[in-house]
Each structure stands twice: as C-alpha cells, then as structure tokens.
Amino acid sequence: MSLKLERVNDFVVKFANVNGSGSASANELFARSILRMGVPVSPRNIFPSNIQGLPTWYEVRISEAGRLGCRGGVDLMVAMNPQTWTEDVAGIEPGGYLLYDSTKPLPPSQFREDVHVIGVPLTELCNSVYTDPRQRQLFKNILYVGVLSALLDIDVKEIERLVGEQYRGKDALIGPNLEALKLGRDYALSHFDCPIGLKVRRSKALGDRIFIDGNSAAALGCVYGGATVAAWYPITPSSSLAEAFGRYCGQYRVDPETGKNRYAIVQAEDELASIGMVIGAAWNGARAFTATSGPGISLMTEFLGLAYFAEIPAVIFDVQRGGPSTGMPTRTQQADVLACAYASHGDTKHVLLFPEDPRECFEFAARALDLADRLQTPVFVLSDLDIGMNERVCEPLGWDDSHRMDRGKVLGFEELESGKEFGRYLDVDGDGIPYRTYPGSHPARGAFFTRGTTKDRYARYSEEGPVYVDNMERLIKKFETAKSLLPQPEERRAERPARLGAIYYGSTSPAMLEALGALQSQGIALDLLRVRGFPFHERVAKFVAEHDEVFVVEQNRDGQLRVLLMNECGIDPAKLVPVLHYDGAPITARFIVREIAERASLARVTPLRKSTP
Amino acid sequence: MTYLAKPKLHHPKLPVNRLGYTRRDYEGAVSTLCAGCGHDSISAAIVQACFELDLPPHRIAKLSGIGCSSKTPTYFLGNSHGFNSVHGRMPSVLTGANLANRELIYLGVSGDGDSASIGLGQFAHSMRRGVNMTYIVENNGVYGLTKGQFSATADKGSKSKRGAVNNDSAIDLVTLAIQLGAGFVGRGFSGDKAQLVPLIKAAIEYPGAAFIDCISPCIAFNNHAGSTKSFDYVRAHNEAVNRLDFIPAGGEITMQAAPGSLSEVPMPDGSVLRLRRLSEDHDPTDRTAALNYLRQREAQGEIVTGLLYLDPEPDDLHAHLHTVPAPLNRLGDAELCPGSAALERINAALR
C-alpha cells in the first residue's frame, strides 16, 4: 500500500452508527473538541425516519479554510454499524483510514487494500470495565472518541472540559466518562503510531464565530423580532424550531415579577389550524409565526391564499426536506420554492426569503416579522434540513438596540379619532400598501369586515368585476414595492470579465463558494449571484442579461428557482442552465465543479464546420 | 350583489342601554339570506343579547367560516371587526385572535356543514383547549348556499327536499362539546328568542369555551315533511329543560316570577346564572348526568334545548398558557426584545 493520506486541519471523518445507541452526543463531543481548538468544522447528521435500530451517520468536515459545505468522500470512517459496513468501507478515499471494532475478527475480504485499517477491540475493552449493559453501550461511544483524540492528535484537555460542561450538575457522570475517554486514548497511544496521517492542529481560523443550528437561530430571531404567538404542528425537520422558541421564551420572555409569559405557543392539531391561528393572531395585531415543512405547506395553502387576499401578515418557516411521506423527508432538499411562491388558489404570489446559514436564519426571522407587518402579507423563510438541523459555524448573531419593530401601516385610536380617512384597501401612499386597524381600537371608527376577494376599497362587500380588478392591480403594485424592501442579492464578480454566471441560494452557499475556487483554478471565470429574496430584485434580471449563460444551482429536480426566474423576469430558458442536485444529501462542491466544468468545456468546443449561410 | 347599509334613522324614543346605545347600534347590514331564514332570528338574538349586556360593540370580534351562517356576521354588530375566514376553520382563526388580545369578546359563528363536516377537527380542538369564546352553530342540517345537500348533523333517515334519504349517522355537536371539555354547552332554537337571548348572554359572559347549538330551520331546503330540522318538527319535538336568566355582575334582577324550581349558579366575575328548571331530571353541572339525559331524551325523539352543561369552575387557554394579563398585541420592544447584551451572552455560550 503506497498512498497514505497526510492532511492537517483539512479532512472528513464519518461515523456510521445505529440510531438510538447514544452515539449522537459522543459524535458531537468529537466535533466540538476540534472547534475548541480553533478549527472550523461542519458536521452533518444523516438520519433515518426511525428512533431506534436503523443506520445513522454523522459526518464531520474539518476545514481550517472554513469550507463548510459537504465535500463528498470520507478520509476516516468510524464504522460502528455492521449493517452498513460494505457501503461505509466503499466510501473511503484511497489512502484513507478505517477505524472499527475488532472484538470479533472479520475476514480479509471485508477490507480494502488501499485503506489503512485501525482495529480497536472496543466491545472487549468496554466489557472488561463496565458490567451494566446500558453503560457498555454508551461508553463504547466515548471510548472511540478517546481513540480518535490520540489518532488525530486532538487536545484531550478540550474534550475533558467539554465533558465537564455537558454534565455540569450531574457530576457523578463526569468521572465514568473521563475514564472511558482515557481507556480509549491510552489503548490507541500504546498500540498505534499516533497521530496517523490526519491531524488536528490548534488554529485561530475559527475566530469569534459561533456554532449553532439554523432552527435554533431562527427561533431566537423570532424572540428578538417580537413574535408573541407561535402555532405549529410537529414535522421533521422543523419541529426543533418551535421547540427552541419555547426554550428561548422560557429564558427571555417571562415577566420577572409575575412569572407570567409574554408569549403563547400552541401545538395545534394540524398545519391548517397552525396557520389559521397565526392568521387570527396577526389579524388581531400580534406578531405570529409557524414552522413547518413541505407537507405542512400543502395543507396551509388555502389559508395562505386568504391571507394574501385579505392582506394579513404571517411568517412561515419552511424547513425544506425531500418530498412526501416518510424516509426521504429526513434528508435535505430545496424543493418547495414553487409551492411557496405560488401557494394557494386564485392569483397569488408570496414573499420568500432564502437564508444561507444560521446567522441569516436569525436575521431573516426578525426581518420577516417586520416585512410581514409592513407588507401585510405572508412571508416565507425557506431554509432546509441541512442548515436547519445541523450545527454550523457562522458569524456571531448581531442585534442593533436602536431597532424598533416595524408594525407597518396601522391606524390607532388617535388617528381614527382625528378623523383620518380609513379605507382598509385604499392605496393612500401609492405603494399598494393600505392601512389597517386592529380590532377594538375605536368605538365608532375603523371597524371593517375581513373577507377574501369580494370587497371594495372600503372593505364593503362587492361582487363587481371592476372592483375586483382594481384590488388585484393594487396587490401587484404592493408586490413590486416588496422588491425594494427585501434583502438584496449578493454578487461576487470574477477577477476578469466572465461570460458565465451562476445563481444560487440558501444552503448551497458553502458548496458554491468552494466550487468557485476550484473552477477558477481550472481557468473557468464565473460571476456569482446569491438570491436572498423573492420577488426578485431588478439586479437579478440584470445579472442574467450581462452573461451569455447562467447556471442556476439548486437542490431539486425541476429547477424551481429557474422556473421562477423564467416566469417572473421573462428570461429566455436557453440562457438558464440548470445544475440540479436532489438525492437528499447536501449538494457538494465536487458536484458543482463537475457539472459546471463539463458544460463550460462543451461550450468552448469549436464547431468542426461553420454553418454556411 | 353589493353591500346594503341599513338606514341610520330610528325612532327617537328607542330605549338606550347603559352605554347610551340603542339596539339599532348593534345591527349590521341588511341580510341577504332568504326571507324567513332562522339565521336572521339568531342574528337578532345576538343583537338583543349584546344590547342588553351593555357591550361596547367595538370590543367584540366576530369570526365565521363559510356558508349561509357564516355570512351572518355582516348582518349584526356593524361596529365590530369581523372576519369571514375559511370553510371550517373559524375556530383556529378565533383561537389565534384570542391569543393576541385576551381583552376582547370573541363571537364565533358557524354552521353545521362548517363545524360538523369540513371543520369537525377544528371545532373539537377549540373546545378541548378551552378558548374563551361564544361559539354558535346555526344548525339546519343542510348545505344552503350549495342548494340542499345533507350536512353531518342531518339525522339518519331524514329526507332531503328532493326525496333522498340520509343513511349516515348524525353528529350531535352538543354531546361532542360536553365530551371534549367545553365549559358551557347549550342548545337553542331560532324560533324561541325568549330562551335564546339569555342563553347567548350567559355564553358571552362565561369565561371559557361556551358553545351553543342553535337549531335554525332552512326554509329553502330543509323545511319540508320528512326533515327533522323543520320548524314544525322542532316545535313538535322541542323539550326545553330549563329557562335561563342571566344577571350580570352588579346588574339588576329583571327576571319574572319563575315557575318550577330555581337554582342560582354564581360565576367568577360576580354575575349569576338563574336556571328555572323545567325538568327535575337534568342537572347541568354534572357532565355525566348531562350526557345521560341527552341520550335518554334523544331516544324518545326529543330535541332538548336550554343550558345543557355548565362547568361552574371555568378556565381558559390563557390560564393554561400562563400568559401575562396585558394583551400580547400591546407588548412593545422593551417587553419583547432581550437586546444585544443578552445576545452577546448567547453568542459566548455558542463557542
């Protein structure tokens, strides 16, 4: 065997485990210990629709350069699940490493010649120390973290500190955990030449960045943004958002004097009721949101149409996943773009925001609450499982204390009392956004009847065609107004003028940026534009116009953002080249590079014979 | 069809309530329902109840789903905010509205199709949660706006106007409401305003989930022989278990001398419910007994009306959620946003 991977602070470790075996906290301990050494990591849970028994993986990319996208390939496989052994071993890069439990001997046919095998009798070691079956199981996980600390030269002090923090208050658990850690580490140090070719070295690359999952960050954004009502129905991968909101509210939203809550959270009977409650609360002047995923969006669509027509603010977090039913839904996709953009019956269009990481989940959550009030319409925050449920290294969350909630155009008692004209659907300012009143504001003025379509500028019932058209035209004007209020697209120009461009959004960011560097080194100049909101800012169409061809990089089958670009900006489909990744795993830089490089080189081929006139 | 406002002129000697409002101030636009529709009588009863309770009209929010019954909020309380929402989904919208501002009075108006067919789930869960509201189902056993199809409250064996027989079991909303934990459950008849008005008044004052199933014959599609929701049938089979007087806190007693036994049920706010029992068999504060009684009378072919169940110790969703007394929609930045210093601490804990 000649090749041996030699890498410092730049490799991928993958853990293959059995769901419910207690591996998750040990794996997270591993990832966090590297973070504590100042080296960025990006872990990803790949989990089944199951609580116990099915295969689950935890993949950690260690990257001093801060590449947080999924790389593809594995440099060190910790193969703890016999069920998936074959595919796990096959996924290792040539020259990579395989750590396994060697308690029971395996035939040579089960191994690869181009992979360095590290066998540790984990079960045997564990059984020699622990008698309780549950402890044997749990400490086996800590044991392999100890082994890895030696193999990869991780500072064991950092792990010990993390164990101390994790079990603070349950001190009895600290000792046995540290013991298991030492057991594994000592075994590795005395049996192998440590470190192996892969090594973690203390760094300052992480800086002051934080480590948080997108759902928690979004929940925190809702707390900061002033949401007081949350209604939700459990659905992976969004449930942790609503649950985190509950946790943060418990910390930050309890009246210190009375112990009473400045928030209300209802776990509704289904998604129809969730969005109904959000709409009811927002109609009545509270900031309200729901968190869901694709199937929930499907169920909410009737209500979303009503909210669009009746002009009621609502914030919907769609943590996207793969398709209907069960199974793929625990994998990631960006496949609800069209379903959200055009949700419901009748002529409807909705405002969408596309956060790229937890920091933007936080920022866009608070911003969505402002936008929904300002625009009086549903606003979707489209994240996905990849950023929603995985912890990610990102810039610290920031808040400007001078920020005040933008409650939009609301007439209160004073304005109504002063005799200011009120027409609920009257465009006073020419931006398509009318004024509204909250119920109960004034004894004699400002009351109106809320209904879907059939009303005039003063909210009076009318079934007349021109009155309907008048209202629909105003709604389009309001949608135009939205363009200038949404987060603007981010552009990144190549060093030299490029004829090719790429448009991407959401969780594709880290893979796209990594791909950019690789493409540059292949001599392919590419301009980038990251879409952050819909309706599209005018710069998006301009960007397309400036390039011969624009790749639209997405994580769905049908090129949904591409369809939206064609439909809303009137762009020639031939100019928009789809680059689509949708197998449920997060998109990788390798995939993007391959797709774009191939097409870029095809485009460079000179025709053999020029067409004759 | 466009909006028809009622003329504002009224007799100068119309009585006014303690707020100085006349009954006309509680009315809405001209009804567009069929002449003689039971629903209009219910609207009139709501107007009367709100007038008599001296409620400021703008402190009431009226919400409905879709259907004939759900159109009625346009025809009463013209100075209240109203919301004609989605078919079968009024309860969730009302729940959200209630969470946003616990100080308003919430009136949910629905129909049998809206609440028992498409919206049975939301009906049930709003009762379980104990949303503080008055939920009135204007029950005619039939889809009016789509012209005469059976709804889920149509009795098994009853005949449609076209002669079709309903083979499906009927859903009895009062039984369901009692089972699901509603604190106040009554049944009225649109043709008996004397019973209905106090029932609505008591429901509005009840600080929890109050449900009224109001039989309201559809004169266009369900008022024929063979229907069990026609005026004639209901009049012939109505068994009123009690007559109700509602005395608001500090209010004067206007009740007339009551025949039969009388019981007083004090409410937490100091108001009093006076029940004139017509049937000694019925104890409305005993959930099991109430359910048994309903089943017994139903077996006799009787439609029991009156206050059927009352939990003398009401509570509501806000109590379950321990929310602050101030309406959530009135909380400002200072009360809601933890600020940048707290965020710095959160950031530090995430490293």
Side-chain angles (χ1 to χ4, degrees), chain A residues 208 211 224 252-253 261 269 273 277 280-281 284-285 302-303 397 401 405 437 440 446 448 450-451 461 463-464, chain B residues 1-3 58-59 81-82 84 86 97 106 122 129 321-322 324 329 333 336 339-340 343 346-347 350-351:
Chain A
D208 72 341
F211 191 55
Y224 273 75
Y252 299 105
R253 283 285 191 77
N261 296 331
E269 60 270 29
M277 288 177 201
N284 212 2
E302 185 185 16
F303 253 130
L397 308 178
D401 284 327
M405 290 188 274
T437 56
F448 68 95
T450 303
R451 37 171 86 80
Y461 191 83
E463 294 181 8
E464 287 172 29
Chain B
M1 180 60 230
T2 46
Y3 167 85
H58 73 294
R59 303 302 292 171
H81 272 67
N84 199 177
V86 173
Y106 294 92
Q122 295 216 340
R129 289 194 184 99
L321 296 175
H322 308 291
V324 288
N329 70 353
D333 292 273
L336 299 177
S340 63
L343 196 57
I346 293 170
N347 280 326
L350 294 168
R351 287 185 181 116

Side-chain angles (χ1 to χ4, degrees), chain B:
Chain B
M1 180 60 230
T2 46
Y3 167 85
L4 281 182
K6 267 191 194 168
K8 293 269 184 220
L9 288 172
H10 57 72
H11 195 279
K13 285 188 181 157
L14 262 186
V16 293
N17 63 13
R18 286 198 291 173
L19 295 178
Y21 290 118
T22 70
R23 205 181 55 81
R24 298 291 308 275
D25 293 321
Y26 293 86
E27 291 179 349
V30 171
S31 170
T32 62
L33 299 175
C34 308
C37 177
H39 294 0
D40 285 334
S41 309
I42 301 172
S43 295
I46 292 170
V47 166
Q48 188 66 29
C50 293
F51 168 74
E52 289 179 11
L53 285 174
D54 305 312
L55 299 177
H58 73 294
R59 303 302 292 171
I60 306 168
K62 45 182 186 170
L63 298 99
S64 62
I66 294 291
C68 290
S69 56
S70 292
K71 285 168 78 87
T72 64
T74 312
Y75 317 135
F76 57 80
L77 297 172
N79 281 322
S80 305
H81 272 67
F83 196 155
N84 199 177
S85 69
V86 173
H87 199 15
R89 317 293 173 209
M90 174 275 287
S92 64
V93 180
L94 190 152
T95 302
N98 183 297
L99 290 173
N101 185 355
R102 59 191 301 176
E103 286 184 350
L104 300 186
I105 293 161
Y106 294 92
L107 182 58
V109 177
S110 180
D112 39 300
D114 203 52
S115 278
S117 297
I118 188 169
L120 186 63
Q122 295 216 340
F123 163 80
H125 289 279
S126 66
M127 295 299 150
R128 300 179 45 225
R129 289 194 184 99
V131 181
N132 184 2
M133 63 180 169
T134 299
Y135 189 133
I136 301 176
V137 166
E138 307 187 348
N139 185 355
N140 56 17
V142 76
Y143 285 84
L145 274 182
T146 53
K147 302 195 173 177
Q149 300 82 4
F150 286 119
S151 85
T153 63
D155 287 312
K156 193 169 185 172
S158 65
K159 266 194 192 146
S160 79
K161 198 174 177 182
R162 291 182 189 139
V165 176
N166 176 36
N167 294 314
D168 300 339
S169 296
I171 289 173
D172 182 30
L173 290 172
V174 290
T175 305
L176 263 183
I178 296 171
Q179 283 172 344
L180 291 164
F184 178 111
V185 180
R187 189 189 273 141
F189 170 41
S190 65
D192 187 352
K193 200 171 167 185
Q195 184 194 42
L196 185 57
V197 172
L199 200 57
I200 293 174
K201 284 165 71 178
I204 288 174
E205 291 290 305
Y206 186 79
F211 174 66
I212 299 172
D213 177 29
C214 192
I215 310 291
S216 174
C218 174
I219 51 125
F221 298 107
N222 212 3
N223 198 28
H224 47 269
S227 158
T228 56
K229 298 269 192 297
S230 66
F231 276 110
D232 288 346
Y233 185 92
V234 176
R235 287 220 170 88
H237 296 78
N238 185 358
E239 153 86 358
V241 285
N242 46 40
R243 289 284 170 186
L244 192 64
D245 273 298
F246 178 72
I247 305 155
E252 57 185 286
I253 297 172
T254 55
M255 199 187 74
Q256 292 161 8
S261 75
L262 185 75
S263 60
E264 291 193 345
V265 187
M267 293 283 96
D269 67 346
S271 55
V272 176
L273 276 182
R274 285 195 165 198
L275 281 170
R276 260 174 294 163
R277 284 199 197 184
L278 299 182
S279 165
E280 288 301 322
D281 303 342
H282 183 55
D283 175 6
T285 60
D286 180 339
R287 184 188 299 246
T288 311
L291 287 168
N292 278 338
Y293 185 76
L294 276 169
R295 295 297 297 170
Q296 283 164 11
R297 306 317 292 178
E298 188 193 326
Q300 302 298 313
E302 290 176 0
I303 302 165
V304 184
T305 58
L307 176 59
L308 306 174
Y309 173 67
L310 181 83
D311 183 343
E313 288 171 9
D315 77 33
D316 88 311
L317 182 57
H318 278 282
H320 304 160
L321 296 175
H322 308 291
T323 45
V324 288
L328 293 177
N329 70 353
R330 229 180 278 156
L331 302 179
D333 292 273
E335 288 120 324
L336 299 177
C337 183
S340 63
L343 196 57
E344 276 316 307
R345 288 194 293 276
I346 293 170
N347 280 326
L350 294 168
R351 287 185 181 116

Side-chain angles (χ1 to χ4, degrees), chain A residues 164-210:
Chain A
E165 289 172 23
Q166 189 180 345
Y167 295 110
R168 194 175 293 150
K170 299 179 209 161
D171 293 359
L173 292 170
I174 297 177
N177 272 285
L178 294 183
E179 194 184 325
L181 190 70
K182 186 171 184 319
L183 195 63
R185 184 175 170 83
D186 288 350
Y187 183 92
L189 288 172
S190 59
H191 287 78
F192 310 109
D193 192 7
C194 293
I196 54 172
L198 309 176
K199 191 170 176 306
V200 182
R201 191 170 55 207
R202 198 168 277 280
S203 161
K204 290 191 167 129
L206 187 64
D208 72 341
R209 282 182 285 178
I210 58 165

